[in-house]
Amino acid sequence: MPHTGHATRATPVWALKLAVVTALVGVAGGIAGVSVWLALQLIQFVAFGYPFGGHLEAADAPSAGNRLVALVAAGVLTGFAWWALRRWARPVVSVPAAVGGKRMPVFSTVANAGVQILAVGLGASIGKEVAPREIGAWLSQLVTARAGLTGRETKILVACGAAAGLAAVYDVPLGGALFAVEVLLGELTFATALPAFATSAIAAFVARLVIPDEVLYHVPAMHLSPSLLVWAVIVGPVLGFAGVAFVKLTNGLQGLAPKGWHLLVVLPVVFAMVGVIAVPFPEILGNGRALGLVAMNASLDAGSVAGLSPIVFLLVLGVIRTITTSATIGAGAVGGTLTPSIAIGSAVGGGLGGLWLLLWPTDGPSLTAFAFIGAAAFLATTMRAPFTALVLVVEFTQQGTDILIPSLLAVSGSVAVGYVLARRRSAQMV
């Protein structure tokens, strides 16, 4: 449609067309989420015999041998697949590049997302959230290609489509919308917020037609206490430093990832090593839900696990998960760090909270609130998106409103540390 000026674009016909395209982008995001979920369910059915539906993952498999074999198979299969893609297919276009206007190739995009889901489904220690974002962005480019939109409108809707895929696969409509405006667009205005809210809501609705409506993390109720409040102020900066270190580690290792035929060797070896580590610590496998559940349901009066006290166990799991996720990315695998960040943050937060309770006990021995706050603060730093991070953890658990005050304080402290360190790095580079 030709553009003859501002008045032409302000007509009811243009507004109706833009509304229809926005709705179609929301549907595309829902399709992206559903397709990823169905693929993951099929892979886990074949690998572990899980029934369709629910959030079971590799870490829930009762047999250590089964988990190890699945990881070894994942290393071999995904190593070959990514090697072939990088050698013969067109280069994969990232979501930020697609938002910037670069076209996403059909085969490379779909295949790359599929290999990611294969890796996560078999237990790789990475997140699955990149795949639905890539599919959502690609489908949104198809929807907007011939709609006669301006470059800015296309950019906004492609970002919304990618975020809608995230909203659909995890049933987090508000978190998805905030991800679009805070992370992908970096602009919170009426022009970005309206399509972001609409597309994420539509995508989540479409996904609910197929994906069971089930809370990702079942956790007990949490309550505010003076001890928790003081701890949140102290632990926020600590988790900020940890989050910055995690991002630096993963980015550095990603830059050192093997190229060419080396991928065929390094990736299977690293996956096998993760499988061996997972024999005594299965919680470190997969998307991160298993570790998050353990941390958010931990209690000081629980018995020892793997011969360790609850505090030590959570801290050990946090360190191991950091190592396995970083090593997996450094070995050449493609995947997200969103849900792994929640897992690491909740484990470290729960462990540090347990130590704090030894100094300042509260009414109960539960570590849930500490793990929740740790997850939000750590994720806020790794994403550099405090609003999105806190809302995602709230939507994942459907809890947290009673402890918003300490959560906000901890997130503020962690993000402030990340901001200061980023400014220092920028100043040193000038």
Side-chain angles (χ1 to χ4, degrees):
M1 181 174 115
H3 308 320
T4 58
H6 178 75
T8 302
R9 299 195 63 77
T11 62
V13 174
W14 165 80
L16 177 61
K17 183 181 75 169
L18 188 58
V20 171
V21 174
T22 300
L24 291 176
V25 168
V27 173
I31 292 173
V34 169
S35 62
V36 166
W37 182 82
L38 288 174
L40 191 62
Q41 294 289 310
L42 178 61
I43 292 167
Q44 293 177 337
F45 170 77
V46 174
F48 307 109
Y50 294 155
F52 272 70
H55 296 297
L56 293 175
E57 55 182 1
D60 300 305
S63 170
N66 190 3
R67 297 193 300 265
L68 179 57
V69 170
L71 257 296
V72 172
V76 173
L77 294 174
T78 61
F80 178 79
W82 271 316
W83 169 77
L85 276 174
R86 294 166 191 176
R87 179 168 183 176
W88 289 301
R90 296 177 61 185
V92 174
V93 174
S94 67
V95 169
V99 172
K102 195 169 184 180
R103 301 298 299 180
M104 304 181 80
V106 177
F107 176 78
S108 298
T109 300
V110 176
N112 185 56
V115 179
Q116 292 177 51
I117 296 307
L118 176 63
V120 175
L122 293 177
S125 190
I126 48 176
K128 68 181 179 183
E129 66 275 357
V130 174
R133 296 204 303 257
E134 290 179 343
I135 298 297
W138 166 63
L139 290 176
S140 297
Q141 285 189 335
L142 297 182
V143 170
T144 58
R146 299 181 180 276
L149 305 179
T150 66
R152 174 169 166 77
E153 290 164 348
T154 301
K155 175 181 178 178
I156 291 173
L157 286 177
V158 170
C160 290
L166 173 67
V169 78
Y170 282 126
D171 192 19
V172 287
L174 182 54
L178 288 175
F179 184 85
V181 299
E182 188 179 19
V183 178
L184 295 179
L185 294 170
E187 176 189 342
L188 180 54
T189 62
F190 182 82
T192 59
L194 181 60
F197 284 128
T199 51
S200 288
I202 293 170
F205 175 77
V206 170
R208 287 188 182 187
L209 299 176
V210 179
I211 303 176
D213 182 13
E214 182 182 347
V215 180
L216 188 63
Y217 297 94
H218 289 279
V219 301
M222 297 168 282
H223 303 288
L224 179 63
S225 69
S227 176
L228 183 65
L229 196 63
V230 175
W231 177 83
V233 174
I234 297 173
V235 83
V238 175
L239 291 172
F241 280 108
V244 169
F246 177 67
V247 172
K248 187 175 182 179
L249 176 62
T250 53
N251 288 345
L253 290 176
Q254 188 175 37
L256 299 174
K259 305 292 191 298
W261 65 267
H262 296 91
L263 184 68
L264 296 170
V265 178
V266 176
L267 200 64
V269 170
V270 171
F271 273 42
M273 291 174 60
V274 173
V276 172
I277 295 172
V279 171
F281 300 108
E283 296 85 0
I284 56 95
L285 291 179
N287 200 41
R289 176 177 175 268
L291 178 51
L293 274 176
V294 169
M296 294 187 193
N297 287 274
S299 175
L300 283 182
D301 61 5
S304 63
V305 184
L308 303 173
S309 70
I311 295 175
V312 176
F313 182 64
L314 289 180
L315 293 175
V316 168
L317 284 179
V319 172
I320 293 177
R321 178 74 203 211
T322 300
I323 294 171
T324 56
T325 297
S326 302
T328 300
I329 293 173
V334 178
T337 58
L338 190 158
T339 43
S341 292
I342 292 178
I344 295 168
S346 61
V348 174
L352 295 178
L355 292 174
W356 180 257
L357 287 180
L358 298 179
L359 300 174
W360 188 346
T362 60
D363 293 336
S366 175
L367 302 178
T368 301
F370 298 96
F372 178 97
I373 293 172
F378 191 82
L379 180 62
T381 306
T382 59
M383 292 183 70
R384 301 190 68 179
F387 296 106
T388 304
L390 182 55
V391 168
L392 282 174
V393 179
V394 169
E395 287 190 304
F396 281 152
T397 61
Q398 294 188 10
Q399 296 281 348
T401 54
D402 287 345
I403 58 167
L404 277 180
I405 295 175
S407 298
L408 289 169
L409 290 173
V411 167
S412 298
S414 67
V415 173
V417 167
Y419 176 76
V420 170
L421 293 177
R423 289 291 298 269
R424 287 186 60 185
R425 286 197 300 270
S426 298
Q428 292 171 355
M429 294 175 62
V430 174

